[in-house]
């Protein structure tokens, strides 16, 4: 009986190890919003690293006026990149925010309990809502 229990335990541990190891080394979370404001105003707002502090410490590493802001984010355990794209259409601007980075081994274990989508998604949505409210 003990032998069967050990075999089942080894099998369960092997499945858990496979679930961790086979996860992607990279992650990406994306959210978008349409805002009734021009790209110039939104670009100036999005270029302020303090605006993205809910996501972590931020620093602008690239920008194209009225079109793109790229920020380096320090999420504590890992460094990520946030890309904020601005696309005018009619009287609105579509703002697309994508955060991408590397999954460490510890991140892969945490992802079994709750994905980055669940943890970062609401923070991105809140940052975009704050951006819209400021416009």
């Amino acid at each position: 009986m003990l032998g069967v229990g050990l075999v089942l335990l080894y099998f369960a541990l092997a499945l858990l190890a496979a679930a961790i190891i086979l996860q992607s080394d990279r992650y990406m979370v994306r959210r978008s919003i349409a805002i009734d404001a021009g790209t110039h105003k939104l670009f100036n707002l999005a270029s302020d690293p303090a605006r993205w502090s809910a996501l972590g410490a931020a620093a602008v590493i690239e920008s194209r006026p009225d079109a793109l802001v790229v920020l380096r984010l320090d999420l504590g355990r890992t460094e990520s990149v946030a890309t904020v794209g601005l696309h005018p259409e009619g009287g609105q601007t579509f703002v697309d925010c994508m955060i991408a980075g590397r999954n460490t081994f510890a991140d892969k274990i945490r992802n079994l309990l709750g994905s980055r989508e669940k943890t970062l998604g609401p923070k991105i949505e809140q940052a975009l809502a704050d951006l819209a409210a400021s416009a």
Side-chain angles (χ1 to χ4, degrees):
M1 197 64 144
L2 181 61
V4 172
L6 284 176
V7 169
L8 290 176
L9 177 63
Y10 290 142
F11 183 71
L13 290 174
L15 285 176
L16 180 62
I20 293 169
I21 292 169
L22 294 176
Q23 287 185 48
S24 173
D25 288 338
R26 311 266 319 145
Y27 72 88
M28 187 219 25
V29 180
R30 172 180 258 145
R31 295 289 189 274
S32 299
I33 189 172
I35 301 175
D36 291 326
T39 56
H40 184 71
K41 182 173 187 172
L42 290 171
F43 174 79
N44 288 333
L45 291 169
S47 296
D48 178 7
R51 177 158 304 282
W52 306 101
S53 62
L55 300 172
V60 175
I61 57 174
E62 180 185 344
S63 66
R64 280 186 259 144
D66 302 345
L68 178 75
V69 178
V70 180
L71 305 116
R72 182 178 48 241
L73 296 175
D74 179 1
L75 300 179
R77 301 173 307 275
T78 184
E79 192 174 280
S80 301
V81 174
T83 305
V84 182
L86 306 170
H87 314 282
E89 191 169 310
Q92 293 185 315
T93 299
F94 286 88
V95 182
D96 183 52
C97 181
M98 178 189 68
I99 298 179
R102 280 189 99 48
N103 276 324
T104 65
F105 185 76
D107 291 328
K108 290 179 180 184
I109 293 171
R110 277 189 286 278
N111 287 344
L112 294 177
L113 303 173
S115 70
R116 295 263 187 175
E117 184 71 32
K118 290 179 184 175
T119 57
L120 279 179
K123 290 180 181 182
I124 298 171
E125 291 167 4
Q126 184 59 55
L128 290 173
D130 292 346
L131 184 68
S134 297

